[in-house]
Amino acid sequence: MLRRFIAQASLPQRCRCLITRQPSADTFRRCSSSSTAATPSSQVPVGTSGEPPPDAHFSDDYTSQPSARISVDRSGLNSPPEHSHEPLADSELVKHLKSIIKFRGGPISVAEYMEEVLINPKAGFYINRDVFGAEGDFITSPEVSQMFGEMIGVWAMCLWEQMGQPKRVNLVELGPGRGTLMADLLRGASKFEKFTQSINIHMIEVSPALKKIQKTTLKCNNEDGADENNATTLTGTPVSWHLTLEEVPTGLPTIIIAHEFFDALPVHQFQKASRGWCEKMIDVGEDSKFRVVLSPQPTPATLYLLKRCRWAQTEELTKLEHVEVCPKAMDLTQTIAKRISSDSGGALIIDYGLDSIISDSLQAIRKHKFVNILDDPGSADLSAYVDFPAIKHSAEEVSEDICVYGPITQSQFLGNLGINFRVEALLQNCTDEQAESLRTGYWQLVGDGEAPFWEGPDEQTPIGMGSRYLAMAIVNKKQGTPAPFY
């Protein structure tokens, strides 16, 4: 099946125009931690400074001045507007966050802060704009090369064959971005009509702006603007949009794709203090700025911390001063596992993360640069490393009918699916400019570090994501081991 797909798939009439100005190694959306550590005391801001210097005093005694008056004609001088040292007015999101803290009578969790910043219905980062690509805030794998979506299509078709080629299947994508991955998947699979005619596509998206872009990318023409009864003209496949996975109809075999979705789920952060593990919270200081403090007592999220610690090795915990847990990731994973257990199918999770407990990874990226997570909330993307062992344990906890495979690196995943053959086939039928873009995109997907073949400007050197991104599959046991986790 895999080789047949590679042999039959041809270069699209319009090769995707890849990003010509690439971000640096540390700006490929997800790389390193930038959150601030809190001091081990009750609700004390991190990095508390000492007492401010005393105010300077200036004399207003003019008795020593001469009594003679000098008249000066200022009519020809420039009179600039009065300069104010007052801080800029708070944005609507900042006002909203401060009001939550004020009326609750205390700080909020990092997870609640993160959720408001990303998906607040009025001012959330993802809600009202396109944040992807060179003009956005970060670049994802589907935006790098068409081959990524094509390889995901190969994986989905292989799983469909393992399920016995059912006539009706739900194909679900969580957080579809611009819809680029799904569009490339459908173009690559368009020659396999039996597969494309069997699938019903379900897009899980909370952003109205991105939903509109996805409909354009997938070439869905629906005059009344409804989320039902759309059909992509790429393959004629029906497409529906939903806010949550629970809204997707049950009863059909389901294939779920979650690419760079789990990293945006809100995390709770904990710090080891003299009195034990304390949750980091977001408060407003006397200067009216956001600050990080520690909870004076256990919080509800501590239950998830205890569960995560039970799954960890003792030597892991003894080295840690900080721990991140993501209750929503654990709960979503269990929802996915239950769906796969009852309806059959599988889920593919690809994200940047670790095959170990996560210490302190929360970061903010604005225009391809790292910024402080508390700086102008709503203007930067917030994300954290994905805890893959927590996903594995969460899935296995709720069902004995599923198996979890991986994680393996993105380089291993794509390589074992045949991306090497695909790039060679594409290089035989393209221009020199397209060939350069294909080689660059290929390296970014499977390479590690800076591309050795690059001869252009240093600031545009392609950076490989092959080892920083991991892939994991959750499948129904009766289907056997999924490609390419053999």
Side-chain angles (χ1 to χ4, degrees):
M1 178 66 187
L2 173 61
R3 291 190 178 273
R4 185 155 54 90
F5 169 78
I6 293 170
Q8 292 185 17
S10 60
L11 184 69
Q13 294 180 354
R14 181 179 63 83
C15 185
R16 178 172 312 286
C17 179
L18 299 182
I19 307 302
T20 56
R21 182 174 181 81
Q22 303 295 343
S24 64
D26 288 331
T27 59
F28 237 124
R29 194 179 181 214
R30 335 278 189 199
C31 306
S32 62
S33 170
S34 64
S35 60
T36 311
T39 56
S41 59
S42 173
Q43 295 198 9
V44 175
V46 175
T48 304
S49 61
E51 292 296 322
D55 295 336
H57 296 282
F58 298 92
S59 171
D60 59 355
D61 180 12
Y62 295 98
T63 58
S64 62
Q65 295 181 4
S67 59
R69 295 179 178 274
I70 301 175
S71 176
V72 179
D73 180 10
R74 294 182 170 85
S75 61
L77 300 179
N78 177 40
S79 299
E82 291 186 8
H83 177 68
S84 173
H85 291 278
E86 294 295 322
L88 296 176
D90 288 342
S91 67
E92 290 301 315
L93 182 58
V94 170
K95 291 179 182 177
H96 175 66
L97 288 166
K98 288 182 177 179
S99 70
I100 294 177
I101 295 171
K102 176 181 178 182
F103 290 110
R104 189 169 297 177
I108 60 176
S109 68
V110 172
E112 187 171 359
Y113 173 84
M114 187 176 175
E115 192 163 20
E116 289 287 348
V117 167
L118 294 181
I119 59 173
N120 178 276
K122 291 185 178 180
F125 177 77
Y126 286 122
I127 297 302
N128 298 313
R129 56 177 173 160
D130 178 8
V131 300
F132 300 94
E135 300 303 320
D137 294 273
F138 51 83
I139 296 175
T140 60
S141 295
E143 305 297 330
V144 167
S145 172
Q146 68 185 55
M147 292 182 290
F148 185 82
E150 291 171 351
M151 292 298 104
I152 301 300
V154 171
W155 180 85
M157 284 188 286
C158 288
L159 184 62
W160 172 72
E161 284 199 333
Q162 286 181 292
M163 290 189 287
Q165 299 185 7
K167 294 184 178 180
R168 293 184 63 201
V169 177
N170 287 329
L171 178 58
V172 182
E173 184 176 4
L174 306 178
R178 286 176 170 167
T180 307
L181 185 155
M182 186 60 71
D184 289 338
L185 183 157
L186 291 175
R187 288 193 189 96
S190 60
K191 294 182 181 296
F192 303 94
E193 293 184 3
K194 192 174 180 180
F195 171 73
T196 57
Q197 290 176 359
S198 71
I199 58 177
N200 296 293
I201 297 174
H202 299 273
M203 310 284 266
I204 310 302
E205 181 59 71
V206 299
S207 168
L210 290 177
K211 187 186 300 181
K212 185 177 180 180
I213 295 172
Q214 291 157 16
K215 290 183 177 182
T216 301
T217 303
L218 292 175
K219 302 186 184 302
C220 292
N221 300 316
N222 188 295
E223 295 181 358
D224 60 12
D227 290 340
E228 301 294 335
N229 302 318
N230 285 269
T232 169
T233 57
L234 298 175
T235 56
T237 306
V239 186
S240 300
W241 275 263
H242 313 276
L243 294 177
T244 64
L245 176 60
E246 287 81 358
E247 295 178 8
V248 177
T250 59
L252 290 179
T254 301
I255 300 174
I256 299 172
I257 298 168
H259 172 253
E260 290 202 38
F261 180 79
F262 277 77
D263 65 88
L265 296 178
V267 297
H268 291 262
Q269 293 188 318
F270 291 85
Q271 178 176 314
K272 186 182 293 184
S274 58
R275 60 181 182 274
W277 287 102
C278 300
E279 184 168 3
K280 293 182 182 180
M281 312 290 283
I282 306 298
D283 199 6
V284 179
E286 294 180 0
D287 58 359
S288 196
K289 294 182 179 179
F290 293 113
R291 61 175 184 171
V292 178
V293 299
L294 293 182
S295 63
Q297 55 193 9
T299 60
T302 304
L303 295 175
Y304 286 90
L305 173 67
L306 295 175
K307 177 186 285 191
R308 183 61 186 92
C309 289
R310 286 198 299 268
W311 294 335
Q313 300 294 324
T314 303
E315 53 270 23
E316 275 190 299
L317 297 175
T318 56
K319 301 176 183 178
L320 292 175
E321 296 294 328
H322 303 268
V323 171
E324 282 178 355
V325 294
C326 187
K328 288 208 169 185
M330 296 181 187
D331 294 344
L332 174 62
T333 299
Q334 295 192 337
T335 300
I336 291 172
K338 290 176 182 176
R339 174 73 65 101
I340 294 170
S341 175
S342 61
D343 293 347
S344 77
L348 175 65
I349 300 167
I350 300 181
D351 226 310
Y352 70 101
L354 298 175
D355 191 12
S356 64
I357 196 167
I358 305 297
S359 175
D360 187 7
S361 71
L362 182 60
Q363 60 194 14
I365 295 178
R366 182 191 302 126
K367 300 299 181 184
H368 306 280
K369 295 182 179 179
F370 288 110
V371 297
N372 189 290
I373 64 170
L374 301 179
D375 178 31
D376 192 14
S379 67
D381 175 44
L382 299 182
S383 64
Y385 280 8
V386 174
D387 183 345
F388 280 93
I391 292 176
K392 174 182 174 66
H393 286 291
S394 296
E396 294 174 339
E397 189 177 65
V398 297
S399 177
E400 296 180 352
D401 297 323
I402 59 95
C403 284
V404 181
Y405 296 89
I408 60 177
T409 66
Q410 178 170 287
S411 179
Q412 292 173 309
F413 176 80
L414 296 176
N416 291 340
L417 282 176
I419 193 172
N420 298 344
F421 299 107
R422 181 58 176 150
V423 71
E424 290 175 4
L426 292 174
L427 286 171
Q428 295 176 4
N429 298 282
C430 63
T431 65
D432 291 342
E433 183 179 354
Q434 290 172 333
E436 181 180 358
S437 293
L438 284 168
R439 283 192 291 267
T440 299
Y442 171 79
W443 178 265
Q444 288 175 286
L445 292 177
V446 304
D448 186 12
E450 297 184 354
F453 59 81
W454 185 251
E455 298 179 352
D458 291 342
E459 65 273 12
Q460 298 179 21
T461 304
I463 307 299
M465 300 182 288
S467 60
R468 291 195 312 219
Y469 282 66
L470 302 179
M472 175 176 278
I474 305 171
V475 299
N476 193 293
K477 276 185 176 179
K478 63 186 179 183
Q479 291 153 199
T481 304
F485 294 89
Y486 306 122

